[in-house]
Amino acid sequence: MTLPRSDYIPQLAIVGNARLRGRDLRAQVIDDPGGAALVRRPDDFDGFALPDGGFEPSFYAWLDVMKARGLVALRVLTDSDPEDWILTTPPPPLPRLPDFTLVFGDREVGYACRVESGPMGTREAFMPVEVPRRVAVPAVDAAERELLEATRGYVRFLEGKVRRDDGTAVFYEKMGLEVLEQLTATEPRFQELLAARRKAQLHQLRKDYKPPGYTKAMRPRVLEQADRVQRMTDFARVMEEAGLSWRTQRLALVTTGLYPLNMRHERTSEEMLPDYVLHPGYIAVGSRLAKAACDGHNAALNAST
């Protein structure tokens, strides 16, 4: 079993901080991280390193140990690298942040997933690592305001610059427009958009889990598997169960995968990118959106309200 890190790690913050606040919250992806696999492989996850040695396989039990030692918050963080926005002679990239960071008052301890291969096969575990730099976590309201302004600026910048026959340009234009629609939606409208998103995701999962030679007799198993995977990946539902507001859920959703084209793409892509990427004003607009997306994601995933 390989951990589904993109789903597993963000939900550690949502669930962990809720439990630190006294909520008895669990998440399916934490309880059963291998649940997306049609064929189960042996469990090769050792768990979380303990301060006095050894590992605790259960996240919930491990969190209780850390809470007893003064843990006040668990943070999953990302940031925008300035190197991404320099076209020629960029500086070295920033050191990678830990998968998550534990906050003990004024002390922080990073944890990262380590994979080791040995005679008995591959093993995974979360181990303590250095925290290379501190990343500020803004309040949800402030992060939302900045993201809205950054998105508006991005959408305005692209007006008249997107060729309709350029699929890449159209995709990134649509990305900005969809984020703007969601950030300006009322709560009822956001719930409609969220329901439509879940419906489309479930439809796609049902298609993805149809095996070769699919027959109607396989349908119940396919439906069950698609439902299970959607519950594993639906972190907005976990946020709701954690008591987080709809606006916090919205901020987390719109910032997930929000990556505007940058100069690193221009340096490394084998494809011709849209002309606007090299426009004199694009770096300021795009880098502002990238930073606002990171700040918004940090604010939402690590929120307490």
Side-chain angles (χ1 to χ4, degrees):
M1 177 195 75
T2 300
L3 281 179
R5 297 186 200 180
S6 61
D7 296 308
Y8 187 88
I9 291 172
Q11 293 190 45
L12 293 182
I14 300 166
V15 172
N17 288 318
R19 293 179 75 89
L20 290 173
R21 296 194 305 271
R23 283 183 176 261
D24 185 19
L25 180 64
R26 303 178 74 96
Q28 182 164 331
V29 73
I30 297 175
D31 291 338
D32 183 21
L38 286 172
V39 178
R40 298 285 184 134
R41 295 195 299 171
D43 186 356
D44 57 8
F45 181 52
D46 289 329
F48 303 82
L50 291 163
D52 299 326
F55 295 91
E56 172 52 64
S58 166
F59 170 70
Y60 310 112
W62 175 82
L63 190 75
D64 288 341
V65 171
M66 294 303 185
K67 183 177 180 180
R69 290 174 176 256
L71 178 66
V72 296
L74 187 157
R75 291 178 176 160
V76 173
L77 301 167
T78 187
D79 59 1
S80 181
D81 195 332
E83 179 263 348
D84 289 343
W85 295 96
I86 299 175
L87 183 58
T88 58
T89 62
L94 292 175
R96 181 178 175 179
L97 292 169
D99 288 327
F100 61 85
T101 300
L102 304 183
V103 181
F104 297 89
D106 60 354
R107 180 172 63 92
E108 296 186 354
V109 179
Y111 273 74
C113 189
R114 293 288 182 257
V115 180
E116 296 183 355
S117 298
M120 303 301 293
T122 301
R123 308 297 301 175
E124 284 185 284
F126 284 100
M127 304 287 293
V129 295
E130 180 185 356
V131 179
R133 61 191 177 281
R134 296 256 179 135
V135 177
V137 180
V140 169
D141 288 350
E144 183 184 69
R145 285 194 300 270
E146 172 57 16
L147 181 61
L148 179 58
E149 289 306 307
T151 305
R152 282 173 171 159
Y154 175 84
V155 170
R156 283 196 302 269
F157 178 86
L158 293 187
E159 289 177 357
K161 298 183 179 69
V162 175
R163 287 183 13 226
R164 308 326 298 176
D165 62 347
D166 185 335
T168 300
V170 170
F171 172 86
Y172 281 95
E173 177 190 45
K174 182 181 178 184
M175 178 190 75
L177 291 170
E178 288 180 347
V179 169
L180 189 58
E181 178 187 13
Q182 292 179 73
L183 286 175
T184 54
T186 61
E187 183 176 3
R189 177 57 180 156
F190 168 71
Q191 296 299 340
E192 290 176 2
L193 292 170
L194 181 56
R197 176 189 180 123
R198 286 169 170 157
K199 182 178 179 181
Q201 182 195 38
L202 185 59
H203 177 73
Q204 186 60 49
L205 286 169
R206 288 173 175 175
K207 289 173 59 178
D208 292 344
Y209 276 96
K210 284 184 178 179
Y214 172 79
T215 65
K216 286 186 177 180
M218 300 176 184
R219 179 176 170 80
R221 184 185 178 197
V222 169
L223 296 181
E224 179 184 4
Q225 185 68 11
D227 288 344
R228 180 185 301 112
V229 174
Q230 184 175 55
R231 289 195 301 273
M232 289 177 64
T233 59
D234 191 355
F235 64 84
R237 196 178 303 280
V238 180
M239 294 179 78
E240 182 180 2
E241 293 171 355
L244 300 177
S245 71
W246 71 272
R247 288 175 58 190
T248 302
Q249 297 168 44
R250 177 177 68 179
L251 187 60
L253 285 166
V254 300
T255 55
T256 298
L258 179 53
Y259 302 116
L261 287 169
N262 57 40
M263 296 306 106
R264 176 172 50 81
H265 295 127
E266 179 66 19
R267 292 195 310 266
T268 61
S269 177
E270 296 181 359
E271 300 178 3
M272 184 68 69
L273 296 185
D275 294 340
Y276 69 74
V277 171
L278 296 179
H279 188 284
Y282 178 70
I283 289 178
V285 170
S287 61
R288 183 185 182 186
L289 178 59
K291 185 177 187 310
C294 289
D295 287 348
H297 204 60
N298 291 340
L301 284 187
N302 301 287
S304 59
T305 57

